[in-house]
Amino acid sequence: MISPSSGTLRSSWSRARRALVVATAGLLAAAGLIALPNTADAATTLGASAAERGRYFGTAVAANRLGEAAYASTLNTEFNSVTAENEMKWDATERTRNSFTFGAADQIVNHARSRGMRVRGHTLVWHSQLPSWVGGLNANDLRAAMNNHINQVMGRYRGQIDSWDVVNEAFQDGNSGARRSSPFQDRLGNGYIEEAFRTARAADPNAKLCYNDYNTDGVNAKSNAVYNMVRDFRARGVPIDCVGFQSHFNSASPVPSDFQANLQRFADLGVEVQITELDIAGSGTAQANSYSRVVNACLAVSRCTGITVWGVTDKYSWRASDTPLLFDGNYNKKPAYTAVLNALNASGGGGGAAGCTLTYTETQRWGDRFNGQVTVTAGSAPISGWTATVTVHSPQRVSTTWHGSPTWDSSGTVLTMRPNGNGALSAGGSTSFGFTVMANGNWTAPTLGSCVATA
Ligand code: G2I
């Protein structure tokens, strides 16, 4: 029960705190130290701010950096999605035919999922980081090896990956719009991409299946070729759910002026678009402005569901000398970071859209079960109600819930929770609901889904 008196206390405290925050921010803004977003109660991390806009904000991570305290704390605080930078690639997972190694990939997946972050899978079929044995196979063998690789790697993480880059970088650079030469292309022909997507759908029906590429960010011959392929797949029912735009930018290849229009034309084919490997060479205001443009383009396209930057800190970037990321080598926030946060927190064209976010904590554990608590926090506007989804992982079962009104999907694993007297939240205000999960041997933390607010 939430008593009226504690509600009053909390809201007057949060009003006082908000007044202090706004006053302090106002002083800093007046001194020119920060740019104020045009909302009163902006979230303060990339992940939370993106979530208020119905999107994720992710980063590529390297398993061998997770032990570095500042790396892990920046990751854990700021991001709500991860991509393995190298650990799920073919040369990492199947260096020798049909002998699979998942240690480093497991580390990343476990790190992310135990903290409620989502995971993008990268990547199954790619000409690079491909062990040489693959190139030595004849067509029949190669087809079998490709499908086996997809089945084994996707099978390992079945139900745990939000989106998979099924095929990566299959088109040539330049104006030809042609396919890139690779063992797959050269031996299996054009049909290999379609075959990979069909195999992937069966291997993990819950994962969104993406085609991912670079230099496809604006309208050009290469992006036209990808567009035509995706349109054809959609028309023929070949399973594809998303297109990834890597978005590696520098002065020779800046954010294109038609970036948003290009995202939109793909979205209009009915697929999600995701910015999957964002990094922008440079520093200071110029770099910050480019980052803002990318974030604003994604926010303007309703099917643009998330942004991933290609690393946590400049010092471990694949092109460190370009200082292309949001945190410098000492994990200080760069102007680019502030620009991204402000763009995410700006209320956008509609102004003041109601939103809410979810956070998860395990509150108690016994030998056979644990209690979970989900906190629902309103965004920059008050809300009158919310709908939150939470997925537990079979064979887990939820035995009881409290402080909410639950409904279940047919599998019994997807909980949709609505308020039970705790729907109305002030801007920035929060409430919680809870549940007991019978682990049945699986101690994976539940995955948080969407939070949909009623204004
Ligand atoms: O090249 C940038 C990205 C382009 N799109 C696909 C991405 O998968 C690709 O990521 C980069 C990683 O960021 C690098 O970390 O892919 C490179 C390889 O194609 C990765 O570099 C490799 C080095 O080449 C290896 O020498 C090294 O052992 O990283 C490996 C692990 O640190």
Side-chain angles (χ1 to χ4, degrees):
M1 268 297 276
I2 294 168
S3 73
S5 60
S6 69
T8 311
L9 262 181
R10 192 185 48 203
S11 74
S12 56
W13 160 239
S14 80
R15 259 197 309 276
R17 192 185 46 183
R18 191 156 64 241
L20 182 66
V21 169
V22 169
T24 312
L27 284 174
L28 290 171
L33 294 174
I34 59 165
L36 267 188
N38 54 358
T39 53
D41 257 341
T44 55
T45 67
L46 302 171
S49 296
E52 288 194 346
R53 309 299 296 272
R55 284 151 175 98
Y56 65 83
F57 204 97
T59 178
V61 297
N64 62 4
R65 306 292 182 198
L66 291 173
E68 186 181 322
Y71 184 95
S73 71
T74 306
L75 166 63
N76 299 346
T77 305
E78 292 289 345
F79 298 95
N80 57 11
S81 172
V82 302
T83 305
E85 187 169 356
N86 289 294
E87 292 78 350
M88 288 188 187
K89 293 172 179 175
W90 198 312
D91 65 351
T93 52
E94 193 186 6
R95 179 166 283 282
T96 307
R97 188 169 185 186
N98 211 23
S99 159
F100 288 85
T101 45
F102 292 114
D106 283 357
Q107 239 186 297
I108 291 174
V109 172
N110 293 339
H111 183 100
R113 287 176 51 78
S114 63
R115 291 165 176 81
M117 302 173 184
R118 60 173 94 194
V119 183
R120 295 195 82 261
H122 177 79
T123 174
L124 297 164
V125 180
W126 187 28
H127 67 276
S128 180
Q129 285 173 288
L130 191 63
S132 55
W133 63 263
V134 181
L137 302 178
N138 66 33
N140 281 343
D141 252 8
L142 179 62
R143 185 185 304 284
M146 178 183 85
N147 289 323
N148 183 50
H149 184 78
I150 294 170
N151 283 326
Q152 297 297 321
V153 179
M154 286 187 84
R156 174 79 173 187
Y157 302 110
R158 192 178 159 106
Q160 303 184 32
I161 303 284
D162 177 73
S163 305
W164 262 109
D165 293 333
V166 177
V167 175
N168 194 39
E169 302 176 4
F171 287 84
Q172 275 178 24
D173 287 323
N175 292 325
S176 72
R179 293 289 186 83
R180 178 198 294 275
S181 167
S182 72
F184 308 107
Q185 181 66 37
D186 301 348
R187 262 161 245 150
L188 306 180
N190 283 346
Y192 87 89
I193 300 186
E194 169 171 352
E195 180 160 351
F197 275 84
R198 290 189 191 280
T199 302
R201 177 65 94 223
D204 185 352
N206 291 319
K208 285 176 272 185
L209 307 181
C210 304
Y211 176 78
N212 190 52
D213 215 328
Y214 66 90
N215 286 353
T216 49
D217 316 294
V219 176
N220 57 39
K222 188 172 175 180
S223 68
N224 287 344
V226 176
Y227 178 85
N228 289 337
M229 177 185 77
V230 175
R231 187 174 53 184
D232 170 58
F233 279 13
R234 300 290 293 176
R236 291 190 297 112
V238 178
I240 184 167
D241 309 301
C242 37
V243 176
F245 298 83
Q246 293 185 9
S247 306
H248 295 292
F249 298 120
N250 58 24
S251 56
S253 172
V255 183
S257 57
D258 54 5
F259 185 54
Q260 181 183 320
N262 189 47
L263 296 178
Q264 187 65 58
R265 73 169 174 153
F266 278 86
D268 290 343
L269 295 173
V271 288
E272 271 186 25
V273 295
Q274 303 180 16
I275 295 165
T276 52
E277 304 183 13
L278 177 63
D279 55 10
I280 307 178
S283 62
T285 311
Q287 184 181 47
N289 289 342
S290 295
Y291 265 102
S292 300
R293 289 191 47 215
V294 172
V295 173
N296 286 331
C298 180
L299 292 174
V301 175
S302 58
R303 285 201 175 103
C304 182
T305 53
I307 299 174
T308 299
V309 289
W310 205 239
V312 176
T313 157
D314 281 341
K315 72 175 163 175
Y316 299 140
S317 164
W318 68 295
R319 44 182 189 143
S321 60
D322 286 343
T323 62
L325 295 171
L326 302 179
F327 293 86
D328 71 16
N330 296 316
Y331 300 95
N332 295 313
K333 294 169 179 171
K334 295 164 60 179
Y337 170 93
T338 310
V340 168
L341 192 68
N342 287 347
L344 292 170
N345 284 337
S347 61
C356 53
T357 53
L358 305 177
T359 50
Y360 171 77
T361 12
E362 183 180 310
T363 51
Q364 222 171 341
R365 184 179 281 212
W366 297 268
D368 58 345
R369 63 196 195 281
F370 58 92
N371 281 353
Q373 174 175 297
V374 173
T375 299
V376 181
T377 304
S380 53
I383 62 175
S384 63
W386 43 266
T387 304
T389 57
V390 179
T391 303
V392 297
H393 303 288
S394 187
Q396 294 174 341
R397 279 290 174 274
V398 173
S399 58
T400 176
T401 72
W402 52 92
H403 295 334
S405 169
T407 52
W408 296 93
D409 78 332
S410 56
S411 75
T413 58
V414 183
L415 162 65
T416 300
M417 191 65 108
R418 294 187 175 80
N420 181 10
N422 53 348
L425 300 175
S426 57
S430 60
T431 187
S432 297
F433 63 85
F435 45 82
T436 299
V437 180
M438 303 308 301
N440 294 320
N442 184 349
W443 294 93
T444 311
T447 304
L448 297 179
S450 59
C451 187
V452 178
T454 320

